[in-house]
């Protein structure tokens, strides 16, 4: 590594680089250690299990390659997700890591993710009278439909490209929002 970075970040950057040639399952702790120039034991200290490594790698990749632009309105949200799906199509190996990580249930973070909080804040503006329970249900649906998991299922299961996945996303979001009573939505 040319610049000085902490060990955990160096491991994640090396794992991401190795993803260009190998699947996540084919990347060993030994290969990571050799790539970074550290002992295999150091890799295990940072990431005791492959699930920990996968979760950390997913978070790092999301921040480095797939940051979600801020959004306030539903239109901004749709635009941000469309951009993200196009980025997933451009780097599918990275997107699949995010999809796979979302399928594991580590309890590393008790705090809701940024996207969950941002969607709930958007709903506070878009549907101000929506009760807390329904807002959380709608937020959960929107979070799933904007996820790498949704993209990966449509990409691998139906061989859709980013444009087609964006269309499916728009329809899914439309169906979720259509179920909201009219009185909950903000008037323009």
């Amino acid at each position: 590594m040319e610049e000085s970075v902490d060990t955990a970040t160096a491991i994640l950057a090396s794992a991401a680089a190795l993803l260009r040639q190998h699947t996540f399952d084919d990347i060993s702790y030994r290969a990571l250690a050799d790539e970074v120039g550290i002992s295999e034991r150091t890799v295990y200290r940072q990431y005791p299990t492959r699930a920990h490594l996968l979760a950390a790698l997913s978070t790092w990749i999301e921040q480095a390659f797939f940051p979600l632009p801020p959004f306030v309105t539903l239109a901004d949200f749709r635009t941000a997700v469309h951009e993200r799906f196009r980025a997933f199509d451009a780097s599918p190996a990275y997107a699949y890591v995010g999809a796979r990580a979302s399928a594991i249930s580590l309890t590393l973070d008790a705090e809701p993710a940024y996207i969950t909080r941002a969607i709930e804040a958007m709903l506070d503006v878009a549907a101000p009278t929506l009760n807390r329970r329904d807002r959380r249900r709608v937020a959960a649906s929107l979070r799933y439909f904007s996820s790498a998991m949704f993209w990966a299922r449509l990409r691998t299961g139906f061989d859709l490209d980013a444009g087609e996945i964006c269309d499916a996303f728009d329809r899914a979001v439309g169906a979720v929002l259509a179920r909201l009573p009219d009185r909950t939505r903000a008037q323009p």
Side-chain angles (χ1 to χ4, degrees):
M1 306 239 105
E2 290 179 6
E3 57 186 44
S4 177
V5 295
D6 66 284
T7 303
T9 303
I11 293 167
L12 297 175
S14 294
L18 289 170
L19 278 172
R20 293 185 191 121
Q21 301 147 10
H22 307 285
T23 66
F24 179 78
D25 289 336
D26 293 334
I27 298 172
S28 69
Y29 275 37
R30 165 79 359 235
L32 286 172
D34 291 346
E35 189 78 18
V36 178
I38 57 176
S39 72
E40 189 173 359
R41 178 182 232 172
T42 302
V43 178
Y44 276 103
R45 271 193 221 114
Q46 293 293 323
Y47 306 104
T49 67
R50 291 191 62 79
H52 288 95
L53 176 61
L54 180 63
L57 180 59
S58 172
T59 300
W60 186 82
I61 285 173
E62 185 170 327
Q63 292 169 351
F65 297 96
F66 306 126
L68 193 64
F71 55 88
V72 177
T73 67
L74 190 54
D76 293 343
F77 175 63
R78 282 185 165 143
T79 300
V81 172
H82 288 195
E83 288 175 19
R84 195 171 205 212
F85 286 167
R86 287 183 190 90
F88 288 168
D89 257 19
S91 299
Y94 291 168
Y96 287 125
V97 166
R100 184 167 174 193
S102 69
I104 61 173
S105 59
L106 286 178
T107 55
L108 298 177
D109 293 324
E111 197 59 33
Y114 157 77
I115 190 168
T116 302
R117 291 189 310 269
I119 290 170
E120 287 179 340
M122 175 190 68
L123 289 171
D124 285 342
V125 173
T129 62
L130 193 61
N131 67 50
R132 184 176 185 272
R133 184 192 69 186
D134 289 340
R135 186 185 77 223
R136 290 182 59 90
R137 288 178 178 173
V138 171
S141 297
L142 297 181
R143 169 125 193 233
Y144 173 73
F145 292 129
S146 64
S147 71
M149 176 68 81
F150 179 74
W151 173 88
R153 288 197 188 277
L154 296 182
R155 185 84 169 110
T156 59
F158 299 96
D159 197 28
L160 300 181
D161 64 22
E164 294 165 317
I165 296 170
C166 290
D167 290 343
F169 166 78
D170 288 341
R171 288 178 187 270
V173 168
V176 168
L177 297 178
R179 297 190 62 183
L180 294 177
D182 287 337
R183 69 182 186 285
T184 63
R185 291 194 211 124
Q187 300 304 313

